[in-house]
Amino acid sequence: MKYIGMPMGMWALFAKSFQRQLTAVFDYNADTAKDIRKNARKKYRTIITGLPEFEKTDRFKMNIVNCAMLGAFVLSMPQRPDVERLTDYYARAMMTKPMKWFCRQSGKAKYTPKDIAGMKATAALKAADRNPYSWNMEFYEYPDGSGYEGRFTKCGICMLMRELGLYDLTPALCHLDYTMSEAGGATDFVRMYTLAEGGPYCDCGYKKKRG
């Protein structure tokens, strides 16, 4: 995957937030946080350039780029974090003001015909059949009209985190689905299983908020 483009842009958008939260969540001092960020940038670029290019219609490129960024920061920390604190760290680092705005805009478009069509197209693409760092998804609309579910049988984050030696920390990334759905304001996110925790699949259920 080329570094110039989305990966470089995502670093520009989020790296300072990732640095600030090193102090807020893990109590690293400012100099240590700065050094972690400096080392993480090198690791991030190495991870990105080692990944294959995503198909143009694959909506999950941003997911794997975010995973690469978190992985690079974790690998640059003096001490390996536990999954609970990393979950808090990742949510805080990702939920910047621009990201909250993006979530609200996405929430406004949730359940529209365009949104449903996009979900169906993603399910039909089965990108992970050709790119192991992408996702395969099945799409189910709830019969009562209350929303829908994306059911993932292959997960690029699981693949990359395993390769980075960080697989036990993968649930920290999974939890961001709840955070982003809450920020969107239109959905109650529901889930029973994740592949990262040994489930048969990852289910992402989006229920329309009442009232």
Side-chain angles (χ1 to χ4, degrees):
M1 184 188 294
K2 294 179 181 178
Y3 178 71
I4 295 175
M6 181 196 289
M8 187 168 67
M10 294 297 284
W11 181 269
L13 283 172
F14 290 102
K16 288 185 179 179
S17 179
F18 273 66
Q19 179 181 331
R20 286 194 298 271
Q21 297 306 326
L22 289 169
T23 299
V25 178
F26 296 114
D27 298 323
Y28 288 117
N29 63 42
D31 288 340
T32 300
K34 186 176 180 179
D35 288 342
I36 292 171
R37 177 186 169 192
K38 182 179 179 180
N39 292 331
R41 183 171 188 174
K42 297 175 184 177
K43 294 182 187 297
Y44 174 66
R45 188 163 188 162
T46 297
I47 294 168
I48 290 295
T49 55
L51 296 172
E53 288 294 343
F54 275 51
E55 297 171 55
K56 289 184 179 180
T57 53
D58 190 337
R59 66 192 291 167
F60 294 115
K61 182 176 179 178
M62 185 180 295
N63 298 56
I64 205 68
V65 168
N66 292 342
C67 177
M69 187 179 301
L70 180 64
F73 270 87
V74 172
L75 292 172
S76 302
M77 294 180 191
Q79 294 182 331
R80 183 188 179 94
D82 60 66
V83 69
E84 183 176 351
R85 292 182 77 188
L86 187 64
T87 299
D88 183 34
Y89 169 76
Y90 186 54
R92 289 178 180 230
M94 288 298 299
M95 297 309 292
T96 60
K97 287 184 178 180
M99 178 59 99
K100 290 177 181 178
W101 177 87
F102 172 80
C103 290
R104 289 194 298 270
Q105 297 305 115
S106 297
K108 292 177 183 178
K110 206 74 171 171
Y111 314 114
T112 62
K114 183 178 180 180
D115 176 50
I116 300 297
M119 294 295 289
K120 289 180 177 178
T122 297
L125 185 62
K126 296 188 183 300
D129 287 351
R130 298 170 298 281
N131 178 358
Y133 299 95
S134 189
W135 282 255
N136 277 3
M137 183 192 82
E138 298 172 358
F139 176 69
Y140 302 94
E141 292 187 77
Y142 297 136
D144 62 359
S146 62
Y148 59 72
E149 176 183 313
R151 187 174 294 179
F152 295 86
T153 54
K154 292 184 179 180
C155 170
I157 283 175
C158 288
M159 175 67 71
L160 182 55
M161 291 293 278
R162 184 179 285 110
E163 289 191 357
L164 296 177
L166 303 173
Y167 189 69
D168 59 305
L169 300 177
T170 306
L173 291 103
C174 303
H175 190 78
L176 193 69
D177 291 328
Y178 291 91
T179 306
M180 292 183 67
S181 291
E182 182 179 354
T187 294
D188 289 320
F189 186 81
V190 293
R191 168 176 284 157
M192 291 183 64
Y193 305 108
T194 64
L195 292 169
E197 295 178 297
Y201 48 77
C202 297
D203 53 325
C204 294
Y206 299 92
K207 292 269 191 178
K208 297 176 183 177
K209 280 188 177 292
R210 296 181 179 179

